[in-house]
Amino acid sequence: MCVSNEAAVREVCERFDHDRTRLLDVVREVDERLRCVDDRSMDAIARELKVPRADVEGVVSFYSFLSTKDKGEITIRVCNDVVDRMKGGDEVAAAFEQALGVPFGGGVGRGSAGAGKGGVDGGDIEGGVSLEYTSCIGMCDQAPAALVNDVVVTRLTPSAARTIVRKLKDRSGSEDLRTLLADSFGDGNNSHDLVRSMVENSIRRAGEVVLAPYESDAGLTNAFSSSPQEVIRVIKASRLRGRGGAGFPAGVKWEHTRAAAGDQKYIICNADEGEPGTFKDRVILTERAHLMFDGMTIAGYAIGATQGIVYLRAEYAYLRHFLDDVLAARRRDGRLGSGLADGFSFDIQIRMGAGAYVCGEETALIESLEGKRGQPRFKPPFPAVKGYLGKPTCVNNVETFCCVARIFEKGSAWFSSIGSAGSSGTKVLSISGDCHRPGIYEVPFGVSLRDVLALCGATDVAAVQVGGPSGRMVPPADFDRTLCYDDLATGGALIVFNQGRDLIDIASQYLGFFIHESCGYCTPCRVGNTLLKERIDRIRDGHGHPSDLDYLKELSSTITTASRCGLGWTSPNPVTSLITGFPELLEQRIPLDPSNNGTGFDLETSLRKAGQDSGLPSYEMEV
Amino acid sequence: MSKAKVATTSLCGCFGCHMSVLDIDERILDLVQLVEFDRSPINDIKHIEGTVDVGLVEGGCANEENVAVLREFREHCKVLISLGDCAINGGVPALRNMVPLKECFEEAYLQGPTVHNPEGRIPDDPEIPRLLDKVYPCHEVVKVDYHLPGCPPSADTIWAALNALLTGAPLELPYQLVKYD
Amino acid sequence: MSSHEVTLFIDGKEIQANKDVTVLEAAEENGIYIPRLCWLKGLSPFGACRVCLVRANGRPQPACTQRVMDGMVVDNDTEELRGIRRNIIDMIFVEGNHFCMFCEKSGNCELQAMAYRHGITAPKYPFLFPQKAVDASHPDVLIDRNRCILCSRCVRASKEQDGKGVFGFTGRSIDKRLAVSSGEGLAGTTLDVDDEAVSACPVGCLMKKRVGYAIPVGERRYDQEPIGSDIESVAANKGGE
């Protein structure tokens, strides 16, 4: 496949009006149709959109889900997040590799090479298949999981992996992958005709704000009966803070965006849920789409925007048609479109990401929406003043918009009566790892970590990763601390590790994630994370030196202080929280009398590697 | 007062740094007033006995023998100095670090334009020190106290550094004496 | 002091500056050198190398993007910031393959000069020895990505000054590389040897062919005086007035 097809490229560019700010959509679509964006396609896109060819390559190469090399008809992306690997992801990955006879990142195969040696016999996968690893796809509660093109497959085992390969080989031409790969569909809207996914919601505890039953558009009606200024006043009174992790007061953000001069303003819903271990937005998008769209519409009304955009992560592409359908229904019902209230018009469109964690940062997200590499911008100016296409823009999280709609349904006093003093309302938590009941828990802010662990059935706990890798690893001594903005702030991810886990290795894996996801713009984040991992791996492997701890602290401090955006400000957290919360663990792993003078050099390792690399027999002798 | 002991060696280097030591010219007469040479290519002593005050190491670590020599120096030298770029960053030999080792051997012994090797054998005698997976700077193998960059470091740089170390003065070289080329 | 001027303090020294300039420009105007690599006069600021990191009213910010504000207190030459700059320079060295001993840019290289200025004799981090491609396809200009520091000076100069867009970036994170606007390498682009993009390179990544080691050792730009001395000597002269 991936025959560059100028006509196809031209057609795609045509559909996006040759608009260079839609470059990401263009390359996404070319990639989808031709299964890669090769040199000639990039040439053609550059010509059609009149952008430098290097800019096209810059975008294609930035996003994990796009490729300049042929991927075949089918791409299997195995999630290599910490939790997936805890749940047997490595065995699943090996099974895929063996069954397909294609190594990870090793180009396109047809699945036939694997036959006979643990592979699945008989037939080819038509159009070819490629195998990749991917960062957390938001399925930690049903890990290990993978994506087969857009289709999510969960709770994998090696035998399930082989069955998938078998089915792909037996697949007839145009058979729908969703129906082919899922024996049954998940609960709630996962079984909706436009979703048809085996994903389960795993809602273990519905709270009163986001996951409580929602049928009417009471919030929307109430908001429209107030003035926009009044709407902002209500949100400020509710003390609602952003649910994505940073916790900025929503009302203040809205006020700034409303006050900013601009003939056009935008509301953006950040549905780029990329923090490993977080999957609550997936469930909200599946089950509370109307609530979220109501919130976006209210926000649009409040700040004077006519256009809303949902930036949906590529991993959740399986929800795309469903959400489009919800939007279509809202247009039919008069909840979107013109004349919603007093001359207020508002519409919402879904735009897709393409595999980049950093796009969860609001200015990187905006860059991405403008068809560029997802690199964070300088601040100031803030998006409220100069955002999407240079216009005032308000970016909020999926959950934040849900809170907005509920606040207008039940009142700001009701909302602020829930939770703790500095953190009103509830928080939807994504809990996974070593616990009996992983899933979604909506709890009031201020709840203690200990109580949450009891809820999800976690025993024998060695540590909890609160807020994902960019958050912190919390030791048992701190389990009485509470989840709220003033204590343990979190975007919602709680990952539980039991006593049997190697926390140093987990920190190393999280650094691997940050290395993969750094945009590479600024030096400390681009290089520093690689250096951190080198040293933590050295300690993990028993070649550490006591002086490594100071080295790690100083390096972490440089990365945190000098980086350009939140990714680098937080990427050393797996290391620093190990050092502060689990010092004994590191000390145990560092040999008392290291013979390497603190350099970590190991002659045997070096010679073993040289022997492997050279294939010369002399290396097989004793050192 | 007994003379300070100095030892020098060249690991994976070109001896250019040693040539630069000799380039201190007539100041070498002052130097021999100050120091006595222990293990060094200058006098062909093979191993350090006892403790020396200053060890100068030229070249990086490319093979197992380099590692053994460097470790001997670290063990016996009160102050260990990486002398020159190869010791500090691997230098020209480290150009092989970007090429797979198998290709390096094949280019050197089988396919290179000037190679005559009718038997097509890559030398693999047990007597030949085995190459490491890559060329390592000295400070990535043992702890190194000071680095004198340059290819080679100039005679003035070496002279100034030795003078400082042997007279107990702080090793702070003027701007013009610290260069990477 | 006109209404367009603000007063700020850099390392305790009170200076006046036009309200529209950056901290880096204001400092330079007043004979204070703030180390920088990705910044180049005439190009839009990029804020990527982070070498010019200062604390502006306590907050770490690149001086090249931070605008001056009235009453702003800027820390520049502090122990903390010197340490961070040294670390960043070390990072740039180990993420590339910088063989100064045979590089034609040696002596005129801003990265090397920055390391000299900060008294670096060896990086504290392990060398990564990455694989980076050379592109010698163009008749007059060579790209050696081993020496590229991803400063984007050529990218910006080509867009902003040459009106071309010859350069860009490909990949991300530690695998980010300089890209050119052609599948056939630099020869396939519209680059001309006299383009600003070529001379904008602070290191030996973009080199004019057939020039070689044109200036004798000892007479090159940074052989005798540290980088930034020209800016600082302005202050010395002003002080003498």
Side-chain angles (χ1 to χ4, degrees):
Chain A
M1 203 38 196
C2 201
V3 182
S4 173
N5 180 332
E6 291 232 8
V9 169
R10 211 172 306 124
E11 199 182 299
V12 172
C13 294
E14 197 79 37
R15 263 196 341 97
F16 290 101
D17 289 332
H18 292 84
D19 180 353
R20 57 201 291 174
T21 72
R22 302 301 296 272
L23 178 56
L24 179 56
D25 296 297
V26 169
V27 293
R28 267 195 109 255
E29 190 143 332
V30 170
D31 186 84
E32 206 170 300
R33 283 173 64 166
L34 306 177
R35 298 302 296 160
C36 80
V37 190
D38 67 3
D39 272 341
R40 284 176 52 210
S41 292
M42 288 195 280
D43 288 341
I45 293 167
R47 263 199 315 276
E48 288 293 321
L49 299 187
K50 297 190 170 58
V51 294
R53 206 280 201 173
D55 289 5
V56 180
E57 185 180 340
V59 169
V60 176
S61 61
F62 188 85
Y63 297 92
S64 295
F65 279 39
L66 303 174
S67 173
T68 55
K69 297 208 173 66
D70 187 16
K71 289 184 292 215
E73 276 296 290
I74 305 282
T75 306
I76 299 177
R77 295 186 170 92
V78 179
C79 181
N80 66 353
D81 180 57
V82 163
V83 175
D84 289 72
R85 295 186 60 191
M86 281 162 57
K87 303 289 176 183
D90 289 351
E91 290 74 26
V92 170
F96 271 122
E97 210 167 33
Q98 220 175 17
L100 290 168
V102 183
F104 278 88
V108 181
R110 300 198 160 261
S112 39
K117 42 171 184 175
V120 175
D121 286 329
D124 280 0
I125 292 177
E126 207 173 318
V129 61
S130 55
L131 194 53
E132 295 174 4
Y133 281 115
T134 192
S135 301
C136 181
I137 60 172
M139 301 290 159
C140 290
D141 54 336
Q142 40 213 300
L147 290 167
V148 182
N149 288 356
D150 286 351
V151 179
V152 185
V153 286
T154 63
R155 299 190 198 283
L156 292 171
T157 59
S159 102
R162 283 190 287 273
T163 305
I164 287 169
V165 173
R166 161 98 274 153
K167 284 176 171 176
L168 289 173
K169 288 186 178 186
D170 294 345
R171 179 184 178 220
S172 70
S174 58
E175 196 176 348
D176 182 20
L177 279 179
R178 294 177 302 176
T179 328
L180 177 74
L181 298 177
D183 292 326
S184 61
F185 300 126
D187 54 336
N189 284 325
N190 287 303
S191 62
H192 189 286
D193 226 28
L194 292 170
V195 183
R196 295 166 73 83
S197 168
M198 70 194 285
V199 173
E200 288 161 25
N201 286 330
S202 330
I203 299 175
R204 308 280 183 176
R205 187 181 196 278
E208 48 270 74
V209 179
V210 177
L211 295 172
Y214 182 76
E215 280 151 25
S216 68
D217 49 4
L220 198 61
T221 316
N222 287 345
F224 285 161
S225 65
S226 317
S227 71
Q229 291 84 348
E230 179 64 11
V231 168
I232 292 177
R233 203 196 57 73
V234 169
I235 292 299
K236 286 175 85 173
S238 75
R239 293 183 284 116
L240 171 66
R241 293 169 70 171
R243 288 337 195 207
F248 193 80
V252 176
K253 203 182 242 185
W254 289 18
E255 195 166 52
H256 288 161
T257 318
R258 176 166 182 82
D263 50 354
Q264 170 72 279
K265 296 180 184 181
Y266 294 97
I267 297 294
I268 292 175
C269 173
N270 185 345
D272 193 46
E273 179 174 58
E275 186 72 40
T278 316
F279 45 88
K280 50 113 186 159
D281 289 345
R282 177 197 89 214
V283 174
I284 297 173
L285 290 163
T286 310
E287 299 302 328
R288 290 291 175 273
H290 277 295
L291 186 68
M292 179 188 85
F293 290 138
D294 277 358
M296 287 181 71
T297 311
I298 293 168
Y301 175 69
I303 70 156
T306 58
Q307 184 65 52
I309 299 170
V310 177
Y311 185 89
L312 184 66
R313 70 187 304 223
E315 291 80 352
Y316 295 167
Y318 74 102
L319 292 170
R320 167 90 200 245
H321 293 303
F322 169 72
L323 292 171
D324 273 334
D325 186 60
V326 173
L327 289 172
R330 291 176 70 87
R331 280 183 207 109
R332 281 196 304 275
D333 299 347
R335 285 189 280 178
L336 281 180
S338 55
L340 297 178
D342 195 22
F344 169 62
S345 302
F346 193 71
D347 207 337
I348 296 173
Q349 53 170 289
I350 314 277
R351 299 273 294 274
M352 298 303 299
Y357 164 75
V358 70
C359 289
E361 198 278 345
E362 60 177 10
T363 61
L365 187 155
I366 290 170
E367 286 281 294
S368 181
L369 278 176
E370 291 182 1
K372 299 180 215 157
R373 293 164 64 86
Q375 298 173 154
R377 293 177 173 177
F378 300 120
K379 288 186 276 191
F382 288 92
V385 176
K386 204 165 173 241
Y388 180 55
L389 302 177
K391 307 294 183 187
T393 302
C394 173
V395 186
N396 282 128
N397 176 258
V398 169
E399 187 183 346
T400 312
F401 284 121
C402 291
C403 294
V404 165
R406 198 68 85 172
I407 287 166
F408 281 92
E409 184 190 345
K410 300 211 166 179
S412 59
W414 168 83
F415 184 81
S416 59
S417 72
I418 306 168
S420 67
S423 313
S424 56
T426 60
K427 185 75 196 86
V428 184
L429 303 176
S430 321
I431 303 184
S432 63
D434 294 315
C435 61
H436 293 299
R437 292 178 295 277
I440 296 292
Y441 295 77
E442 185 180 1
V443 295
F445 272 117
V447 68
S448 77
L449 194 50
R450 194 178 300 285
D451 288 346
V452 172
L453 290 173
L455 274 179
C456 69
T459 50
D460 189 32
V461 182
V464 182
Q465 190 75 31
V466 177
S470 77
R472 58 164 74 193
M473 194 182 264
V474 179
D478 288 341
F479 285 176
D480 285 321
R481 293 181 63 179
T482 57
L483 299 177
C484 63
Y485 294 107
D486 308 315
D487 193 359
L488 291 173
T490 169
L494 257 65
I495 306 148
V496 185
F497 302 121
N498 69 23
Q499 302 285 347
R501 305 293 174 189
D502 180 353
L503 300 183
I504 301 177
D505 185 55
I506 286 167
S508 164
Q509 288 185 51
Y510 282 146
L511 287 170
F513 166 77
F514 287 122
I515 292 168
H516 186 251
E517 297 297 339
S518 162
C519 80
Y521 191 102
C522 70
T523 313
C525 177
R526 182 179 69 239
V527 188
N529 292 323
T530 296
L531 299 174
L532 276 179
K533 185 168 188 300
E534 182 271 342
R535 198 53 52 100
I536 205 83
D537 286 356
R538 200 188 268 188
I539 295 174
R540 180 197 59 195
D541 299 341
H543 301 302
H545 187 270
S547 65
D548 288 339
L549 297 183
D550 283 335
Y551 172 96
L552 286 169
K553 280 187 218 167
E554 205 230 2
L555 176 56
S556 296
S557 160
T558 291
I559 300 170
T560 303
T561 310
S563 288
R564 195 161 164 266
C565 80
L567 199 152
W569 299 338
T570 57
S571 62
N573 284 356
V575 173
T576 51
S577 57
L578 258 189
I579 293 175
T580 52
F582 305 85
E584 69 291 344
L585 218 60
L586 292 163
E587 283 155 21
Q588 281 163 18
R589 198 70 66 90
I590 292 172
L592 277 179
D593 180 27
S595 58
N596 56 34
N597 294 294
T599 63
F601 178 79
D602 185 59
L603 183 60
E604 283 173 45
T605 308
S606 171
L607 288 174
R608 197 181 315 119
K609 187 157 187 314
Q612 284 160 3
D613 294 350
S614 68
L616 294 182
S618 61
Y619 284 97
E620 279 152 32
M621 293 176 304
E622 293 282 303
V623 175
Chain B
M1 200 181 86
S2 64
K3 287 184 183 177
K5 277 189 176 177
V6 172
T8 76
T9 189
S10 183
L11 306 176
C12 190
C14 70
F15 278 88
C17 297
H18 275 81
M19 300 306 287
S20 204
V21 174
L22 301 179
D23 273 348
I24 62 175
D25 297 334
E26 75 282 0
R27 287 170 292 188
I28 204 154
L29 298 174
D30 298 331
L31 189 63
V32 292
Q33 296 298 316
L34 284 169
V35 306
E36 177 189 330
F37 278 93
D38 199 297
R39 173 178 175 160
S40 170
I42 296 168
N43 54 24
D44 212 23
I45 296 175
K46 301 297 187 198
H47 288 284
I48 302 178
E49 299 215 352
T51 303
V52 303
D53 298 283
V54 178
L56 294 171
V57 178
E58 172 190 342
C61 287
N63 63 33
E64 54 188 331
E65 194 230 353
N66 297 153
V67 174
V69 174
L70 182 60
R71 283 176 170 168
E72 180 184 314
F73 266 68
R74 177 67 278 179
E75 199 181 322
H76 292 92
C77 299
K78 287 186 199 158
V79 173
L80 191 62
I81 301 179
S82 272
L83 183 68
D85 288 345
C86 296
I88 291 172
N89 58 37
V92 171
L95 281 169
R96 81 148 157 107
N97 291 2
M98 284 79 79
V99 181
L101 195 53
K102 196 170 186 335
E103 280 178 39
C104 289
F105 276 116
E106 286 170 356
E107 181 69 16
Y109 295 111
L110 304 178
Q111 284 152 12
T114 59
V115 171
H116 176 73
N117 185 356
E119 286 177 53
R121 277 190 58 193
I122 294 172
D124 197 27
D125 192 279
E127 291 298 309
I128 303 172
R130 291 168 295 184
L131 291 192
L132 305 180
D133 60 326
K134 63 178 182 185
V135 178
Y136 290 80
C138 290
H139 66 272
E140 292 187 18
V141 176
V142 300
K143 184 176 176 294
V144 171
D145 302 302
Y146 296 102
H147 302 86
L148 293 180
C151 187
S154 72
D156 288 348
T157 304
I158 297 168
W159 175 245
L162 279 179
N163 238 319
L165 284 171
L166 296 172
T167 58
L171 187 56
E172 287 164 5
L173 300 180
Y175 177 84
Q176 292 79 2
L177 289 190
V178 181
K179 291 289 177 289
Y180 300 168
D181 58 3
Chain C
M1 181 176 143
S2 82
S3 60
H4 296 295
E5 292 218 320
V6 296
T7 299
L8 64 155
F9 304 86
I10 300 184
D11 292 331
K13 183 184 171 190
E14 181 177 329
I15 65 168
Q16 265 74 45
N18 185 297
K19 67 176 174 54
D20 295 324
V21 305
T22 61
V23 168
L24 185 143
E25 291 164 330
E28 183 154 337
E29 210 37 45
N30 286 274
I32 299 169
Y33 174 72
I34 299 178
R36 76 294 294 266
L37 282 173
C38 71
W39 186 86
L40 184 64
K41 203 179 183 74
L43 298 178
S44 59
F46 196 60
C49 73
R50 316 305 276 184
V51 168
C52 73
L53 200 82
V54 295
R55 281 193 181 270
N57 290 337
R59 278 169 53 98
Q61 289 288 346
C64 70
T65 60
Q66 176 66 52
R67 301 255 154 193
V68 296
M69 284 193 289
D70 200 34
M72 182 182 262
V73 175
V74 177
D75 293 331
N76 168 41
D77 196 22
T78 64
E79 189 55 45
E80 182 211 17
L81 292 167
R82 279 194 301 271
I84 287 175
R85 287 171 191 160
R86 271 197 298 271
N87 289 352
I88 289 170
I89 295 162
D90 279 354
M91 287 180 190
I92 295 174
F93 267 97
V94 301
E95 77 159 329
N97 296 305
H98 297 279
F99 291 90
C100 294
M101 70 291 291
F102 59 77
C103 179
E104 309 93 295
K105 192 79 171 202
S106 190
N108 298 303
C109 168
E110 290 179 37
L111 173 65
Q112 187 189 59
M114 202 58 69
Y116 290 166
R117 187 184 164 102
H118 286 84
I120 294 170
T121 54
K124 64 168 72 156
Y125 306 124
F127 287 93
L128 301 178
F129 294 116
Q131 300 260 354
K132 299 194 175 192
V134 174
D135 177 351
S137 64
H138 193 280
D140 302 318
V141 179
L142 172 81
I143 302 181
D144 186 348
R145 291 186 180 81
N146 290 289
R147 305 165 178 172
C148 178
I149 63 168
L150 304 169
C151 67
S152 115
R153 277 160 53 160
C154 61
V155 178
R156 284 172 287 154
S158 185
K159 276 191 181 148
E160 297 169 17
Q161 297 177 329
D162 303 327
K164 290 185 179 176
V166 168
F167 299 101
F169 290 116
T170 183
R172 70 185 189 202
S173 191
I174 197 77
D175 297 323
K176 183 179 174 182
R177 301 284 186 271
L178 184 65
V180 299
S181 272
S182 164
E184 273 86 54
L186 196 57
T189 70
T190 55
L191 184 85
D192 185 87
V193 66
D194 294 323
D195 281 358
E196 295 293 337
V198 179
S199 50
C201 183
V203 293
C205 173
L206 286 182
M207 298 298 293
K208 293 179 186 174
K209 290 185 176 175
R210 299 175 298 278
V211 173
Y213 310 88
I215 309 170
V217 173
E219 294 170 26
R220 298 167 305 181
R221 189 145 179 217
Y222 305 115
D223 279 341
Q224 303 300 330
E225 296 290 332
I227 188 168
S229 301
D230 48 341
I231 291 166
E232 287 163 330
S233 68
V234 174
N237 291 341
K238 269 190 182 173
E241 277 166 17

